[in-house]
Amino acid sequence: NSGSITIECTGYFGWLDRISVHDSGAGKVYANQEVSAIVQDIVDTFIVGNSGITRGTIQGSNFSPDSISFKTTAKEAVRTLFDLIGTVEYGINESLQFFWYNQDPTLRHVFYLGDKVVKITDRVDFKNIVNKIYFEGGEASPVVVFQTSGQSQSSINRYGKHEEIISNGSIYTVNVASQFITSILRQRGIPASVSRTTGATA
Protein backbone atom coordinates (compact mmCIF):
# COMPACT_ATOMS: atom_id res chain seq x y z
CA ASN A 1 0.00 0.00 0.00
CA SER A 2 2.92 2.38 0.59
CA GLY A 3 4.52 1.72 -2.81
CA SER A 4 3.82 3.22 -6.21
CA ILE A 5 3.47 1.84 -9.72
CA THR A 6 4.58 3.79 -12.77
CA ILE A 7 2.95 2.89 -16.08
CA GLU A 8 4.28 4.20 -19.39
CA CYS A 9 2.04 3.82 -22.44
CA THR A 10 2.21 4.68 -26.09
CA GLY A 11 -0.59 5.06 -28.59
CA TYR A 12 -1.04 3.25 -31.88
CA PHE A 13 0.92 5.99 -33.62
CA GLY A 14 4.00 4.88 -31.68
CA TRP A 15 4.36 2.02 -34.16
CA LEU A 16 5.50 4.54 -36.77
CA ASP A 17 8.57 5.33 -34.67
CA ARG A 18 9.69 1.70 -34.99
CA ILE A 19 9.30 1.44 -38.78
CA SER A 20 11.87 2.81 -41.25
CA VAL A 21 11.21 4.19 -44.72
CA HIS A 22 14.11 3.43 -47.08
CA ASP A 23 15.08 1.63 -50.28
CA SER A 24 17.42 -1.25 -49.34
CA GLY A 25 19.28 1.10 -47.01
CA ALA A 26 19.34 4.01 -49.47
CA GLY A 27 16.89 6.89 -49.65
CA LYS A 28 13.40 6.04 -50.88
CA VAL A 29 12.83 8.56 -53.68
CA TYR A 30 9.41 9.74 -54.82
CA ALA A 31 9.39 11.83 -58.01
CA ASN A 32 6.45 13.87 -59.31
CA GLN A 33 3.87 12.11 -57.13
CA GLU A 34 1.08 13.93 -55.36
CA VAL A 35 1.52 14.03 -51.56
CA SER A 36 -1.39 11.73 -50.70
CA ALA A 37 -0.07 9.13 -53.18
CA ILE A 38 3.26 9.18 -51.33
CA VAL A 39 1.45 8.82 -48.01
CA GLN A 40 -0.52 5.87 -49.39
CA ASP A 41 2.64 4.15 -50.64
CA ILE A 42 4.40 4.61 -47.29
CA VAL A 43 1.39 3.15 -45.48
CA ASP A 44 1.01 0.21 -47.87
CA THR A 45 4.70 -0.58 -48.32
CA PHE A 46 6.18 0.06 -44.90
CA ILE A 47 3.49 0.35 -42.23
CA VAL A 48 0.82 -2.25 -43.04
CA GLY A 49 3.19 -5.21 -43.29
CA ASN A 50 5.12 -4.29 -40.15
CA SER A 51 2.29 -3.53 -37.75
CA GLY A 52 -1.35 -4.18 -37.03
CA ILE A 53 -2.28 -0.94 -38.83
CA THR A 54 -4.32 -0.90 -42.06
CA ARG A 55 -4.93 1.91 -44.53
CA GLY A 56 -8.08 3.95 -44.05
CA THR A 57 -9.14 7.12 -45.84
CA ILE A 58 -6.37 9.17 -47.46
CA GLN A 59 -7.59 12.35 -49.12
CA GLY A 60 -5.77 14.08 -51.97
CA SER A 61 -3.98 17.42 -52.07
CA ASN A 62 -2.94 19.82 -54.82
CA PHE A 63 0.84 19.55 -54.42
CA SER A 64 3.25 17.12 -56.10
CA PRO A 65 6.91 17.30 -55.03
CA ASP A 66 9.27 17.16 -57.99
CA SER A 67 11.50 14.91 -55.88
CA ILE A 68 11.70 13.94 -52.22
CA SER A 69 13.72 11.21 -50.53
CA PHE A 70 13.17 9.42 -47.21
CA LYS A 71 15.65 7.49 -45.12
CA THR A 72 14.02 7.96 -41.76
CA THR A 73 11.24 6.65 -39.53
CA ALA A 74 7.73 6.40 -40.91
CA LYS A 75 6.65 8.93 -38.31
CA GLU A 76 9.19 11.51 -39.51
CA ALA A 77 8.35 10.84 -43.17
CA VAL A 78 4.63 11.36 -42.58
CA ARG A 79 5.34 14.50 -40.54
CA THR A 80 7.38 15.95 -43.42
CA LEU A 81 4.50 15.29 -45.81
CA PHE A 82 2.10 16.92 -43.35
CA ASP A 83 4.33 20.00 -43.16
CA LEU A 84 4.23 20.31 -46.95
CA ILE A 85 0.44 20.71 -46.80
CA GLY A 86 -0.24 21.99 -43.27
CA THR A 87 -4.03 21.69 -43.44
CA VAL A 88 -4.31 17.96 -42.79
CA GLU A 89 -5.45 15.85 -39.84
CA TYR A 90 -3.82 12.44 -39.66
CA GLY A 91 -3.33 9.59 -37.23
CA ILE A 92 -4.46 6.09 -36.28
CA ASN A 93 -8.09 5.59 -35.26
CA GLU A 94 -9.56 3.09 -32.79
CA SER A 95 -9.92 0.51 -35.58
CA LEU A 96 -6.17 0.67 -36.23
CA GLN A 97 -6.71 2.45 -39.55
CA PHE A 98 -4.32 5.14 -40.71
CA PHE A 99 -6.29 8.24 -41.78
CA TRP A 100 -5.26 11.40 -43.65
CA TYR A 101 -8.05 13.98 -43.93
CA ASN A 102 -7.98 17.48 -45.39
CA GLN A 103 -9.13 19.96 -42.78
CA ASP A 104 -12.73 21.03 -43.34
CA PRO A 105 -13.44 24.73 -42.66
CA THR A 106 -17.17 24.04 -42.25
CA LEU A 107 -18.46 24.78 -38.75
CA ARG A 108 -20.11 21.60 -37.50
CA HIS A 109 -20.61 21.97 -33.74
CA VAL A 110 -21.52 25.11 -31.79
CA PHE A 111 -21.40 25.34 -27.99
CA TYR A 112 -22.93 28.38 -26.29
CA LEU A 113 -21.53 30.00 -23.19
CA GLY A 114 -24.01 29.49 -20.38
CA ASP A 115 -25.40 26.24 -21.81
CA LYS A 116 -22.94 23.38 -22.15
CA VAL A 117 -19.98 25.71 -21.55
CA VAL A 118 -19.81 27.67 -18.29
CA LYS A 119 -16.30 29.15 -18.53
CA ILE A 120 -13.78 29.99 -21.25
CA THR A 121 -10.17 30.97 -20.59
CA ASP A 122 -8.27 32.36 -23.56
CA ARG A 123 -4.59 33.14 -23.90
CA VAL A 124 -2.32 33.93 -26.82
CA ASP A 125 0.92 31.97 -27.15
CA PHE A 126 3.69 33.97 -28.83
CA LYS A 127 6.58 31.63 -28.06
CA ASN A 128 6.29 29.41 -31.17
CA ILE A 129 6.01 32.18 -33.78
CA VAL A 130 8.44 31.87 -36.69
CA ASN A 131 8.42 34.31 -39.59
CA LYS A 132 11.89 33.88 -41.07
CA ILE A 133 13.28 30.43 -41.82
CA TYR A 134 16.80 29.43 -42.71
CA PHE A 135 16.33 26.02 -44.25
CA GLU A 136 18.91 23.26 -44.59
CA GLY A 137 17.90 20.19 -46.55
CA GLY A 138 19.55 17.03 -47.78
CA GLU A 139 22.33 16.70 -50.33
CA ALA A 140 21.45 18.33 -53.64
CA SER A 141 24.56 16.67 -55.08
CA PRO A 142 27.11 14.25 -53.63
CA VAL A 143 28.84 17.21 -51.96
CA VAL A 144 26.56 20.23 -51.67
CA VAL A 145 23.88 20.43 -48.97
CA PHE A 146 20.74 22.23 -50.15
CA GLN A 147 20.16 25.56 -48.35
CA THR A 148 17.58 28.31 -48.80
CA SER A 149 15.52 30.74 -46.75
CA GLY A 150 12.10 32.36 -46.68
CA GLN A 151 10.10 34.81 -44.61
CA SER A 152 6.67 36.32 -44.02
CA GLN A 153 7.08 40.08 -44.16
CA SER A 154 3.54 40.75 -42.93
CA SER A 155 4.21 38.65 -39.80
CA ILE A 156 7.57 40.40 -39.25
CA ASN A 157 5.90 43.81 -39.53
CA ARG A 158 3.26 42.86 -36.99
CA TYR A 159 5.13 40.73 -34.44
CA GLY A 160 8.80 41.52 -35.02
CA LYS A 161 11.32 39.11 -36.43
CA HIS A 162 11.30 35.52 -35.12
CA GLU A 163 13.98 33.47 -36.85
CA GLU A 164 14.50 29.72 -36.83
CA ILE A 165 16.90 27.30 -38.48
CA ILE A 166 15.01 24.24 -39.72
CA SER A 167 16.64 21.10 -41.11
CA ASN A 168 15.02 18.29 -43.06
CA GLY A 169 17.25 15.88 -44.95
CA SER A 170 14.38 14.55 -47.08
CA ILE A 171 14.09 17.84 -48.99
CA TYR A 172 16.67 18.92 -51.55
CA THR A 173 14.86 20.81 -54.35
CA VAL A 174 13.63 24.39 -54.66
CA ASN A 175 10.10 23.19 -55.48
CA VAL A 176 9.68 21.20 -52.27
CA ALA A 177 11.63 23.58 -50.02
CA SER A 178 9.49 26.54 -51.11
CA GLN A 179 6.29 24.62 -50.38
CA PHE A 180 7.66 23.45 -47.01
CA ILE A 181 8.72 26.95 -45.93
CA THR A 182 5.43 28.50 -47.07
CA SER A 183 3.43 25.89 -45.16
CA ILE A 184 5.47 26.36 -41.95
CA LEU A 185 5.11 30.15 -42.15
CA ARG A 186 1.36 29.75 -42.68
CA GLN A 187 1.11 27.51 -39.61
CA ARG A 188 3.39 29.46 -37.30
CA GLY A 189 3.49 33.03 -38.61
CA ILE A 190 0.81 34.18 -36.15
CA PRO A 191 0.54 33.51 -32.41
CA ALA A 192 -1.46 30.48 -31.39
CA SER A 193 -4.74 31.02 -29.57
CA VAL A 194 -5.13 28.60 -26.67
CA SER A 195 -8.58 28.19 -25.14
CA ARG A 196 -9.64 26.19 -22.11
CA THR A 197 -13.33 25.51 -21.61
CA THR A 198 -15.21 24.24 -18.59
CA GLY A 199 -18.40 22.34 -19.32
CA ALA A 200 -21.57 22.15 -17.33
CA THR A 201 -22.36 18.91 -15.49
CA ALA A 202 -25.55 17.07 -16.34
Side-chain angles (χ1 to χ4, degrees):
N1 291 334
S2 61
S4 64
I5 298 174
T6 301
I7 300 175
E8 294 184 4
C9 303
T10 185
Y12 300 139
F13 207 78
W15 255 320
L16 274 63
D17 258 332
R18 311 199 305 248
I19 298 168
S20 296
V21 177
H22 61 93
D23 186 2
S24 300
K28 175 65 175 175
V29 177
Y30 294 93
N32 299 310
Q33 294 187 51
E34 189 265 315
V35 167
S36 69
I38 300 174
V39 172
Q40 181 172 316
D41 185 76
I42 289 173
V43 173
D44 290 345
T45 305
F46 300 98
I47 297 174
V48 171
N50 294 298
S51 68
I53 298 168
T54 59
R55 173 163 53 89
T57 301
I58 297 178
Q59 296 180 339
S61 74
N62 57 4
F63 180 68
S64 299
D66 54 357
S67 185
I68 192 167
S69 175
F70 296 110
K71 189 167 69 171
T72 183
T73 66
K75 182 178 181 180
E76 290 171 337
V78 170
R79 176 67 199 199
T80 295
L81 295 168
F82 163 81
D83 282 331
L84 288 175
I85 306 301
T87 53
V88 169
E89 297 177 9
Y90 70 98
I92 314 295
N93 65 22
E94 68 277 6
S95 301
L96 288 180
Q97 292 179 325
F98 180 96
F99 63 87
W100 179 275
Y101 295 116
N102 296 321
Q103 289 181 1
D104 187 349
T106 304
L107 187 64
R108 297 185 180 279
H109 300 285
V110 177
F111 299 93
Y112 295 98
L113 186 62
D115 179 22
K116 301 296 184 183
V117 177
V118 296
K119 182 180 179 183
I120 299 177
T121 304
D122 287 320
R123 67 180 179 87
V124 179
D125 183 1
F126 289 88
K127 67 182 179 181
N128 288 317
I129 290 179
V130 59
N131 48 36
K132 182 161 187 177
I133 294 171
Y134 297 95
F135 180 78
E136 182 175 277
E139 290 186 351
S141 72
V143 178
V144 179
V145 173
F146 179 81
Q147 292 179 316
T148 189
S149 63
Q151 67 182 35
S152 169
Q153 192 59 50
S154 61
S155 176
I156 292 172
N157 292 343
R158 185 166 186 178
Y159 304 109
K161 186 174 286 186
H162 296 259
E163 298 180 326
E164 189 169 318
I165 299 170
I166 297 179
S167 299
N168 191 312
S170 297
I171 298 171
Y172 51 90
T173 70
V174 173
N175 164 267
V176 183
S178 296
Q179 175 73 16
F180 182 86
I181 290 170
T182 299
S183 179
I184 295 296
L185 292 173
R186 191 184 302 119
Q187 294 175 58
R188 298 178 56 194
I190 60 174
S193 177
V194 182
S195 298
R196 174 176 293 179
T197 62
T198 302
T201 58

Coordinates of all heavy atoms in Angstrom, one line a residue, residues 46-106:
F46 N 5.4 0.1 -46.1 CA 6.2 0.1 -44.9 C 5.4 -0.2 -43.6 O 5.9 -0.8 -42.7 CB 7.0 1.3 -44.8 CG 7.9 1.6 -45.9 CD1 7.6 2.5 -46.9 CD2 9.1 0.9 -46.0 CE1 8.4 2.7 -48.0 CE2 10.0 1.1 -47.1 CZ 9.6 2.0 -48.1
I47 N 4.2 0.4 -43.5 CA 3.5 0.3 -42.2 C 2.6 -0.9 -42.1 O 2.7 -1.6 -41.1 CB 2.7 1.6 -42.1 CG1 3.6 2.9 -42.0 CG2 1.8 1.6 -40.8 CD1 2.9 4.2 -41.9
V48 N 1.8 -1.2 -43.1 CA 0.8 -2.2 -43.0 C 1.5 -3.6 -42.8 O 1.0 -4.4 -41.9 CB 0.0 -2.3 -44.3 CG1 -0.9 -3.6 -44.3 CG2 -0.9 -1.1 -44.4
G49 N 2.6 -3.9 -43.5 CA 3.2 -5.2 -43.3 C 4.0 -5.4 -42.0 O 4.4 -6.5 -41.7
N50 N 4.3 -4.3 -41.3 CA 5.1 -4.3 -40.2 C 4.4 -3.9 -38.9 O 5.0 -3.6 -37.9 CB 6.3 -3.3 -40.4 CG 7.2 -3.8 -41.5 OD1 7.8 -4.9 -41.4 ND2 7.3 -3.0 -42.5
S51 N 3.1 -3.9 -38.9 CA 2.3 -3.5 -37.7 C 0.9 -4.1 -37.9 O 0.6 -4.7 -38.9 CB 2.2 -2.0 -37.6 OG 1.5 -1.4 -38.7
G52 N 0.1 -3.8 -36.9 CA -1.3 -4.2 -37.0 C -2.2 -3.1 -37.7 O -3.4 -3.2 -37.7
I53 N -1.6 -2.1 -38.3 CA -2.3 -0.9 -38.8 C -2.7 -1.2 -40.3 O -1.9 -1.9 -41.0 CB -1.4 0.3 -38.8 CG1 -1.1 0.7 -37.3 CG2 -2.1 1.5 -39.5 CD1 0.0 1.7 -37.1
T54 N -3.9 -0.8 -40.7 CA -4.3 -0.9 -42.1 C -4.5 0.5 -42.6 O -4.6 1.5 -41.8 CB -5.6 -1.7 -42.2 OG1 -6.6 -1.1 -41.4 CG2 -5.4 -3.1 -41.7
R55 N -4.7 0.6 -43.9 CA -4.9 1.9 -44.5 C -6.4 2.3 -44.5 O -7.2 1.5 -45.0 CB -4.4 1.9 -46.0 CG -4.7 3.2 -46.7 CD -3.9 3.4 -47.9 NE -3.9 2.3 -48.8 CZ -4.7 2.1 -49.8 NH1 -5.7 2.9 -50.0 NH2 -4.6 1.0 -50.6
G56 N -6.7 3.4 -44.0 CA -8.1 4.0 -44.0 C -8.2 5.0 -45.1 O -7.5 4.9 -46.2
T57 N -8.9 6.0 -44.9 CA -9.1 7.1 -45.8 C -7.9 8.0 -46.0 O -7.4 8.5 -44.9 CB -10.4 8.0 -45.5 OG1 -11.5 7.1 -45.4 CG2 -10.6 9.1 -46.5
I58 N -7.5 8.2 -47.2 CA -6.4 9.2 -47.5 C -6.9 10.1 -48.5 O -7.1 9.7 -49.7 CB -5.1 8.4 -47.9 CG1 -4.6 7.5 -46.8 CG2 -4.0 9.4 -48.3 CD1 -3.3 6.7 -47.1
Q59 N -7.0 11.4 -48.2 CA -7.6 12.4 -49.1 C -6.5 13.1 -49.9 O -5.4 13.3 -49.3 CB -8.5 13.3 -48.4 CG -9.7 12.7 -47.8 CD -10.6 13.7 -47.0 OE1 -10.2 14.7 -46.6 NE2 -11.9 13.3 -46.9
G60 N -6.8 13.5 -51.1 CA -5.8 14.1 -52.0 C -5.5 15.5 -51.7 O -6.2 16.2 -51.0
S61 N -4.4 16.0 -52.2 CA -4.0 17.4 -52.1 C -3.7 18.0 -53.5 O -4.0 17.3 -54.5 CB -2.7 17.5 -51.2 OG -1.6 17.1 -52.0
N62 N -3.2 19.2 -53.5 CA -2.9 19.8 -54.8 C -1.4 20.1 -55.0 O -1.1 20.9 -55.8 CB -3.7 21.1 -55.0 CG -3.4 22.1 -53.9 OD1 -2.6 21.9 -53.0 ND2 -4.1 23.3 -53.9
F63 N -0.6 19.3 -54.3 CA 0.8 19.6 -54.4 C 1.5 18.2 -54.7 O 1.3 17.2 -54.1 CB 1.4 20.2 -53.2 CG 2.9 20.4 -53.3 CD1 3.4 21.3 -54.1 CD2 3.8 19.6 -52.5 CE1 4.8 21.5 -54.2 CE2 5.2 19.8 -52.6 CZ 5.7 20.8 -53.5
S64 N 2.4 18.3 -55.7 CA 3.2 17.1 -56.1 C 4.7 17.5 -56.0 O 5.2 18.3 -56.9 CB 2.9 16.6 -57.5 OG 1.5 16.2 -57.6
P65 N 5.5 17.0 -55.1 CA 6.9 17.3 -55.0 C 7.6 16.8 -56.3 O 7.3 15.7 -56.8 CB 7.4 16.5 -53.8 CG 6.2 16.3 -53.0 CD 5.1 16.1 -54.0
D66 N 8.5 17.6 -56.8 CA 9.3 17.2 -58.0 C 10.2 16.0 -57.6 O 10.4 15.1 -58.4 CB 10.1 18.3 -58.7 CG 11.0 19.0 -57.7 OD1 11.0 18.7 -56.5 OD2 11.7 19.9 -58.2
S67 N 10.7 16.0 -56.4 CA 11.5 14.9 -55.9 C 11.7 15.1 -54.4 O 11.9 16.2 -53.9 CB 12.9 14.9 -56.5 OG 13.6 13.7 -56.1
I68 N 11.5 14.0 -53.7 CA 11.7 13.9 -52.2 C 12.2 12.6 -51.9 O 11.8 11.6 -52.5 CB 10.4 14.3 -51.5 CG1 10.7 14.6 -50.0 CG2 9.3 13.2 -51.7 CD1 9.5 15.2 -49.3
S69 N 13.1 12.5 -50.9 CA 13.7 11.2 -50.5 C 13.6 11.0 -49.0 O 13.9 11.9 -48.2 CB 15.2 11.2 -51.0 OG 15.9 10.1 -50.5
F70 N 13.3 9.8 -48.6 CA 13.2 9.4 -47.2 C 14.1 8.3 -46.8 O 14.2 7.3 -47.5 CB 11.7 9.0 -46.9 CG 10.7 10.1 -47.1 CD1 9.8 10.0 -48.1 CD2 10.7 11.2 -46.2 CE1 8.9 11.0 -48.3 CE2 9.8 12.2 -46.4 CZ 8.8 12.1 -47.4
K71 N 14.9 8.5 -45.8 CA 15.6 7.5 -45.1 C 15.5 7.8 -43.6 O 16.5 8.3 -43.0 CB 17.1 7.4 -45.6 CG 17.9 6.2 -45.1 CD 19.2 6.0 -45.8 CE 20.2 7.1 -45.5 NZ 21.6 6.7 -46.0
T72 N 14.4 7.5 -43.1 CA 14.0 8.0 -41.8 C 12.9 7.1 -41.2 O 12.5 6.1 -41.8 CB 13.6 9.4 -41.8 OG1 13.3 9.9 -40.5 CG2 12.3 9.6 -42.7
T73 N 12.4 7.4 -40.1 CA 11.2 6.6 -39.5 C 10.0 7.0 -40.3 O 9.9 8.1 -40.9 CB 11.0 7.0 -38.0 OG1 10.6 8.3 -37.9 CG2 12.3 6.7 -37.2
A74 N 9.0 6.1 -40.3 CA 7.7 6.4 -40.9 C 7.1 7.6 -40.3 O 6.4 8.4 -41.0 CB 6.8 5.2 -40.8
K75 N 7.2 7.8 -39.0 CA 6.6 8.9 -38.3 C 7.2 10.2 -38.8 O 6.5 11.2 -39.1 CB 6.9 8.8 -36.8 CG 6.3 10.0 -36.0 CD 6.5 9.7 -34.5 CE 5.9 10.8 -33.7 NZ 6.1 10.6 -32.2
E76 N 8.6 10.3 -39.0 CA 9.2 11.5 -39.5 C 8.8 11.8 -41.0 O 8.6 12.9 -41.4 CB 10.7 11.4 -39.3 CG 11.1 11.5 -37.9 CD 12.6 11.2 -37.7 OE1 13.2 10.5 -38.5 OE2 13.2 11.6 -36.7
A77 N 8.7 10.7 -41.8 CA 8.4 10.8 -43.2 C 6.9 11.4 -43.3 O 6.7 12.3 -44.1 CB 8.4 9.5 -43.9
V78 N 6.0 10.9 -42.5 CA 4.6 11.4 -42.6 C 4.5 12.8 -42.1 O 3.8 13.6 -42.6 CB 3.7 10.4 -41.8 CG1 2.3 11.0 -41.6 CG2 3.6 9.1 -42.5
R79 N 5.3 13.1 -41.1 CA 5.3 14.5 -40.5 C 5.8 15.5 -41.6 O 5.3 16.6 -41.8 CB 6.2 14.6 -39.3 CG 6.4 16.0 -38.7 CD 5.1 16.6 -38.2 NE 5.1 18.0 -38.1 CZ 4.3 18.7 -37.3 NH1 3.3 18.1 -36.6 NH2 4.3 20.0 -37.3
T80 N 6.9 15.1 -42.3 CA 7.4 15.9 -43.4 C 6.3 16.2 -44.5 O 6.1 17.3 -44.9 CB 8.6 15.3 -44.1 OG1 9.7 15.3 -43.1 CG2 9.1 16.1 -45.3
L81 N 5.6 15.1 -44.8 CA 4.5 15.3 -45.8 C 3.4 16.2 -45.3 O 2.8 17.0 -46.0 CB 4.0 13.9 -46.2 CG 5.0 13.1 -47.0 CD1 4.5 11.6 -47.1 CD2 5.3 13.6 -48.4
F82 N 3.1 16.0 -44.0 CA 2.1 16.9 -43.4 C 2.6 18.4 -43.4 O 1.8 19.3 -43.8 CB 1.9 16.5 -41.9 CG 1.2 17.6 -41.1 CD1 -0.2 17.8 -41.1 CD2 2.0 18.5 -40.3 CE1 -0.8 18.8 -40.4 CE2 1.4 19.5 -39.6 CZ 0.0 19.7 -39.6
D83 N 3.8 18.6 -43.1 CA 4.3 20.0 -43.2 C 4.3 20.6 -44.6 O 4.3 21.8 -44.7 CB 5.7 20.1 -42.6 CG 5.8 20.0 -41.0 OD1 4.8 20.5 -40.5 OD2 6.7 19.5 -40.5
L84 N 4.3 19.8 -45.6 CA 4.2 20.3 -47.0 C 2.8 20.8 -47.2 O 2.7 21.7 -48.1 CB 4.6 19.2 -48.0 CG 6.0 18.8 -48.1 CD1 6.2 17.7 -49.1 CD2 6.9 20.0 -48.5
I85 N 1.8 20.3 -46.6 CA 0.4 20.7 -46.8 C 0.0 21.6 -45.7 O -0.6 22.7 -45.9 CB -0.5 19.5 -46.9 CG1 0.0 18.5 -48.0 CG2 -1.9 19.9 -47.2 CD1 0.2 19.1 -49.4
G86 N 0.1 21.2 -44.4 CA -0.2 22.0 -43.3 C -1.7 21.9 -42.8 O -2.0 22.1 -41.7
T87 N -2.6 21.7 -43.8 CA -4.0 21.7 -43.4 C -4.6 20.3 -43.5 O -5.5 20.0 -44.2 CB -4.8 22.6 -44.4 OG1 -4.5 22.3 -45.7 CG2 -4.4 24.1 -44.2
V88 N -4.0 19.4 -42.8 CA -4.3 18.0 -42.8 C -4.4 17.5 -41.3 O -3.8 18.0 -40.4 CB -3.2 17.1 -43.5 CG1 -3.4 15.6 -43.3 CG2 -3.2 17.5 -45.0
E89 N -5.4 16.6 -41.1 CA -5.5 15.9 -39.8 C -5.2 14.4 -40.1 O -5.8 13.8 -41.0 CB -6.8 16.0 -39.2 CG -7.2 17.5 -38.9 CD -8.6 17.6 -38.4 OE1 -9.2 16.6 -38.1 OE2 -9.0 18.8 -38.2
Y90 N -4.2 13.8 -39.4 CA -3.8 12.4 -39.7 C -3.5 11.7 -38.4 O -3.3 12.3 -37.3 CB -2.6 12.4 -40.6 CG -1.3 12.8 -40.0 CD1 -0.4 11.9 -39.4 CD2 -1.0 14.2 -39.9 CE1 0.8 12.4 -38.9 CE2 0.2 14.6 -39.3 CZ 1.1 13.7 -38.8 OH 2.3 14.1 -38.3
G91 N -3.6 10.4 -38.4 CA -3.3 9.6 -37.2 C -3.8 8.2 -37.4 O -4.1 7.7 -38.5
I92 N -4.0 7.5 -36.3 CA -4.5 6.1 -36.3 C -5.7 6.1 -35.4 O -5.7 6.5 -34.3 CB -3.4 5.1 -35.7 CG1 -2.0 5.3 -36.2 CG2 -3.9 3.7 -35.8 CD1 -1.9 5.1 -37.7
N93 N -6.8 5.6 -36.0 CA -8.1 5.6 -35.3 C -8.2 4.3 -34.4 O -7.3 3.5 -34.4 CB -9.3 5.8 -36.2 CG -9.5 4.6 -37.2 OD1 -9.0 3.5 -36.9 ND2 -10.2 4.9 -38.3
E94 N -9.4 4.2 -33.7 CA -9.6 3.1 -32.8 C -9.7 1.7 -33.5 O -9.5 0.7 -32.9 CB -10.8 3.3 -31.9 CG -12.1 3.3 -32.7 CD -12.5 4.6 -33.4 OE1 -11.6 5.5 -33.4 OE2 -13.6 4.7 -33.9
S95 N -9.9 1.8 -34.8 CA -9.9 0.5 -35.6 C -8.6 0.2 -36.2 O -8.5 -0.7 -37.1 CB -11.0 0.6 -36.7 OG -12.3 0.9 -36.1
L96 N -7.5 0.9 -35.7 CA -6.2 0.7 -36.2 C -6.1 1.0 -37.7 O -5.3 0.3 -38.5 CB -5.6 -0.8 -35.9 CG -5.3 -1.1 -34.5 CD1 -4.8 -2.5 -34.4 CD2 -4.2 -0.1 -34.0
Q97 N -6.8 2.0 -38.2 CA -6.7 2.4 -39.5 C -6.0 3.8 -39.6 O -6.3 4.7 -38.8 CB -8.1 2.6 -40.1 CG -8.9 1.3 -40.3 CD -10.3 1.6 -40.9 OE1 -10.9 2.6 -40.6 NE2 -10.7 0.7 -41.8
F98 N -5.0 3.9 -40.5 CA -4.3 5.1 -40.7 C -5.2 6.1 -41.5 O -5.8 5.7 -42.6 CB -3.0 4.9 -41.5 CG -2.2 6.2 -41.7 CD1 -1.2 6.6 -40.9 CD2 -2.5 7.0 -42.8 CE1 -0.5 7.7 -41.1 CE2 -1.8 8.2 -43.0 CZ -0.8 8.5 -42.2
F99 N -5.4 7.3 -41.0 CA -6.3 8.2 -41.8 C -5.5 9.5 -42.1 O -4.6 9.9 -41.4 CB -7.6 8.6 -41.0 CG -7.3 9.3 -39.7 CD1 -7.2 10.6 -39.6 CD2 -7.2 8.5 -38.5 CE1 -7.0 11.3 -38.4 CE2 -7.0 9.2 -37.3 CZ -6.9 10.5 -37.2
W100 N -5.9 10.2 -43.2 CA -5.3 11.4 -43.7 C -6.4 12.2 -44.3 O -6.7 12.1 -45.4 CB -4.2 11.0 -44.7 CG -3.4 12.2 -45.3 CD1 -3.8 12.9 -46.4 CD2 -2.1 12.7 -44.9 NE1 -2.8 13.8 -46.7 CE2 -1.8 13.7 -45.8 CE3 -1.2 12.3 -43.9 CZ2 -0.6 14.4 -45.7 CZ3 0.0 13.0 -43.8 CH2 0.3 14.1 -44.7
Y101 N -6.9 13.2 -43.5 CA -8.0 14.0 -43.9 C -7.6 15.4 -44.2 O -6.9 16.0 -43.4 CB -9.2 14.0 -42.9 CG -9.8 12.7 -42.6 CD1 -9.7 12.0 -41.4 CD2 -10.6 12.1 -43.6 CE1 -10.4 10.8 -41.2 CE2 -11.2 10.8 -43.4 CZ -11.1 10.2 -42.2 OH -11.7 9.0 -41.9
N102 N -8.1 16.0 -45.2 CA -8.0 17.5 -45.4 C -8.9 18.2 -44.4 O -10.0 17.8 -44.1 CB -8.4 17.9 -46.8 CG -7.5 17.3 -47.9 OD1 -6.3 17.2 -47.7 ND2 -8.1 16.9 -49.0
Q103 N -8.3 19.2 -43.8 CA -9.1 20.0 -42.8 C -10.3 20.6 -43.5 O -10.2 21.2 -44.6 CB -8.3 21.0 -42.1 CG -7.2 20.5 -41.2 CD -6.4 21.6 -40.5 OE1 -6.6 22.7 -40.7 NE2 -5.5 21.1 -39.7
D104 N -11.5 20.5 -42.8 CA -12.7 21.0 -43.3 C -13.1 22.3 -42.6 O -13.2 22.3 -41.4 CB -13.8 20.0 -43.1 CG -15.1 20.4 -43.8 OD1 -15.3 21.5 -44.3 OD2 -16.1 19.5 -43.9
P105 N -13.2 23.5 -43.3 CA -13.4 24.7 -42.7 C -14.9 24.9 -42.2 O -15.3 25.9 -41.6 CB -13.1 25.8 -43.7 CG -13.3 25.1 -45.0 CD -13.0 23.6 -44.8
T106 N -15.7 23.9 -42.6 CA -17.2 24.0 -42.2 C -17.4 23.9 -40.7 O -16.9 23.0 -40.1 CB -18.0 22.9 -43.0 OG1 -17.7 23.0 -44.4 CG2 -19.4 23.1 -42.7

